[in-house]
Amino acid sequence: MHSNKNKSKLHIAMIGQKRVPSREGGVEVVVWELATRLRDKGHVVDCYNRYQKHKQPRHKVAGKPGLYVDDIRIIVVPTLNNGKLNAIVYAFFATIRALFGGYDVIHYHAEGPCLMLWLPKLFGKKVIATIHGLDWQRAKWGNFASKMLMTGEKIAAKYADEVIVLSKNVQEYFKETYGRDTHYIPNGISRPVIRKPNLITKKYGLKGHDYIMTLCRIVPEKGIHYLLEAYKNIDSDMKIVVAGGFSNAAEYMEQIRRMAAEDPRVILTDFIHDQELEELCSNAYIFCLPSDVEGMSISLLEGMSYGRCCLVSDIDENIEVVGDKAVSFKKSDVEDLGNKVGFLIDHPETVEKYENMAADYICDKYNWDKMTDATIELYNR
């Protein structure tokens, strides 16, 4: 029995995230949720973080090598300051280091880091790839970076032992493009703590149900400019809260800052977390996700889990998540977005109807524990 127990205990490397624990993006949230649950089930997890100037608090654990956060080893990997190349350089060094880590499984996240996936496969390692979205479609990347991302995608399709996708749309894409069967394992969500306005009242003057919120990185494919453009023509005292920081899209960030400066109703919060995040999500009148491209939006799952009325672009990845439990508008269509926002402001009874459906629906449909169990099953194949 002792031998079988040891055999079932896996040593797993996570490569692809920027930094965990953090909320810098959906990949980071997914990696940490998965890593902590794997730890709770008795597995050993090492997370390969990219280097950052501000050092993350880590500590030693008696009898174990390295530095840890919540009993998960954090290995910091050097990379470049160039935002479009640092993922590739990071993936190279992380992979070289992981080859000598004695891992049972090396789990790559996102297309860029998958460029190096072939190397541990060459050495006989078990390799899993999670494709969080078709990253080459995102507007922030130039031609060279987009080609590298597509190459990472092809390498994952050809060499990974198992490929995980987060949406049916991407699953169909891999089958049609590469003839590759993939495993549909969507992200999860947990029921959140609902908080009354307190910090957000002191900081932003928000009292609850008096603002429309979007929560995302400020990059072009998230479509924040559509929301700000549409709202200019709406006569309402309701605020627009844009919660998030920019990521390798400085020009777009400046565009959003200029648009916000022209409308005193717009609040830019930068990155938020903990109580401030919980209060904002708990008390929004509408949670809006106007994106052109998504993998599977963690922020959308969160918006619904807080029981918010959600308004989303009608891309497949969003509609697959919300079903008929949210309002949608035609992707990239500022006029349609404005009409839907105006309608919801004028019809609070409709907003209340969607609020009453959202949380139970999304928390029953998506579950982190189910996602973890399905992933472990692939590890053990």
Side-chain angles (χ1 to χ4, degrees), residues 266-281:
V266 178
I267 299 169
L268 303 180
T269 69
D270 207 341
F271 282 117
I272 57 172
H273 50 83
D274 299 335
Q275 182 181 341
E276 184 178 343
L277 173 63
E278 291 169 355
E279 287 187 20
L280 281 173
C281 289

Side-chain angles (χ1 to χ4, degrees), residues 163-232:
V163 176
I164 297 169
V165 296
L166 308 184
S167 73
K168 296 288 189 180
N169 188 47
V170 174
Q171 187 172 45
E172 291 169 5
Y173 168 83
F174 265 76
K175 186 65 175 178
E176 292 172 3
T177 306
Y178 304 108
R180 175 70 196 243
D181 290 324
T182 59
H183 302 274
Y184 169 61
I185 305 178
N187 293 332
I189 194 67
S190 302
R191 288 191 181 270
V193 175
I194 307 297
R195 294 189 181 274
K196 293 181 179 180
N198 181 13
L199 182 61
I200 61 172
T201 304
K202 298 173 184 175
K203 194 170 182 179
Y204 306 115
L206 301 172
K207 297 177 182 179
H209 259 215
D210 55 349
Y211 59 95
I212 297 164
M213 176 183 179
T214 186
L215 173 65
C216 59
R217 287 173 297 112
I218 300 180
V219 290
E221 65 268 15
K222 296 297 183 180
I224 300 164
H225 55 293
Y226 302 137
L227 178 59
L228 300 188
E229 184 68 29
Y231 203 60
K232 284 197 309 185

Side-chain angles (χ1 to χ4, degrees), residues 55-75:
K55 290 186 178 180
Q56 182 184 48
R58 295 174 291 155
H59 60 270
K60 288 187 173 292
V61 174
K64 294 183 179 181
L67 297 173
Y68 293 77
V69 175
D70 295 341
D71 210 27
I72 293 173
R73 188 177 181 184
I74 306 295
I75 299 172

Side-chain angles (χ1 to χ4, degrees), residues 11-15 17-21 31-32 35-36 38-39 43-50 56-61 63-77 90 97-98 100-103:
H11 192 187
I12 304 150
M14 298 289 182
I15 296 177
Q17 69 279 358
K18 292 177 183 176
R19 283 161 288 275
V20 293
V31 168
W32 195 247
T36 54
L38 289 168
R39 173 207 62 200
H43 304 291
V44 178
V45 184
D46 295 353
C47 291
Y48 284 73
N49 280 3
R50 302 184 204 182
Q56 182 184 48
R58 295 174 291 155
H59 60 270
K60 288 187 173 292
V61 174
K64 294 183 179 181
L67 297 173
Y68 293 77
V69 175
D70 295 341
D71 210 27
I72 293 173
R73 188 177 181 184
I74 306 295
I75 299 172
V76 177
V77 179
Y90 149 81
R97 168 67 177 78
F100 302 96
Y103 297 109

Side-chain angles (χ1 to χ4, degrees), residues 37-319:
R37 283 167 173 78
L38 289 168
R39 173 207 62 200
D40 291 345
K41 291 178 179 290
H43 304 291
V44 178
V45 184
D46 295 353
C47 291
Y48 284 73
N49 280 3
R50 302 184 204 182
Y51 172 79
Q52 62 176 340
K53 289 183 181 178
H54 304 291
K55 290 186 178 180
Q56 182 184 48
R58 295 174 291 155
H59 60 270
K60 288 187 173 292
V61 174
K64 294 183 179 181
L67 297 173
Y68 293 77
V69 175
D70 295 341
D71 210 27
I72 293 173
R73 188 177 181 184
I74 306 295
I75 299 172
V76 177
V77 179
T79 186
L80 298 178
N81 289 327
N82 185 312
K84 296 180 180 180
L85 292 177
N86 65 13
I88 298 170
V89 174
Y90 149 81
F92 172 77
F93 286 114
T95 299
I96 295 299
R97 168 67 177 78
L99 283 175
F100 302 96
Y103 297 109
D104 299 298
V105 179
I106 301 178
H107 191 157
Y108 286 85
H109 293 265
E111 292 179 335
C114 286
L115 277 164
M116 296 305 302
L117 181 150
W118 60 273
L119 187 56
K121 189 63 185 167
L122 188 67
F123 281 78
K125 299 290 184 180
K126 178 151 191 176
V127 180
I128 306 289
T130 293
I131 305 299
H132 290 253
L134 304 180
D135 292 339
W136 52 268
Q137 294 180 347
R138 301 182 189 274
K140 66 180 178 179
W141 304 117
N143 287 335
F144 173 76
S146 293
K147 288 178 181 177
M148 290 297 97
L149 290 168
M150 289 196 73
T151 301
E153 175 184 291
K154 292 174 183 176
I155 289 172
K158 185 173 183 180
Y159 294 109
D161 290 289
E162 309 289 352
V163 176
I164 297 169
V165 296
L166 308 184
S167 73
K168 296 288 189 180
N169 188 47
V170 174
Q171 187 172 45
E172 291 169 5
Y173 168 83
F174 265 76
K175 186 65 175 178
E176 292 172 3
T177 306
Y178 304 108
R180 175 70 196 243
D181 290 324
T182 59
H183 302 274
Y184 169 61
I185 305 178
N187 293 332
I189 194 67
S190 302
R191 288 191 181 270
V193 175
I194 307 297
R195 294 189 181 274
K196 293 181 179 180
N198 181 13
L199 182 61
I200 61 172
T201 304
K202 298 173 184 175
K203 194 170 182 179
Y204 306 115
L206 301 172
K207 297 177 182 179
H209 259 215
D210 55 349
Y211 59 95
I212 297 164
M213 176 183 179
T214 186
L215 173 65
C216 59
R217 287 173 297 112
I218 300 180
V219 290
E221 65 268 15
K222 296 297 183 180
I224 300 164
H225 55 293
Y226 302 137
L227 178 59
L228 300 188
E229 184 68 29
Y231 203 60
K232 284 197 309 185
N233 302 317
I234 295 175
D235 183 15
S236 173
D237 294 331
M238 200 165 284
K239 303 290 187 182
I240 295 281
V241 176
V242 179
F246 81 95
S247 174
N248 303 327
E251 289 183 13
Y252 185 70
M253 184 68 208
E254 284 306 309
Q255 176 189 342
I256 296 303
R257 283 181 177 142
R258 287 195 302 270
M259 295 179 76
E262 294 169 359
D263 190 337
R265 299 172 297 177
V266 178
I267 299 169
L268 303 180
T269 69
D270 207 341
F271 282 117
I272 57 172
H273 50 83
D274 299 335
Q275 182 181 341
E276 184 178 343
L277 173 63
E278 291 169 355
E279 287 187 20
L280 281 173
C281 289
S282 295
N283 298 284
Y285 183 72
I286 300 169
F287 184 95
C288 185
L289 189 68
S291 41
D292 285 332
V293 179
E294 286 291 346
M296 183 187 188
S297 171
I298 290 289
S299 67
L300 177 55
L301 295 178
E302 289 177 331
M304 294 194 78
S305 75
Y306 277 92
R308 298 302 87 208
C309 171
C310 292
L311 173 61
V312 302
S313 58
D314 64 352
I315 59 175
D316 290 340
E317 290 81 358
N318 287 345
I319 300 302

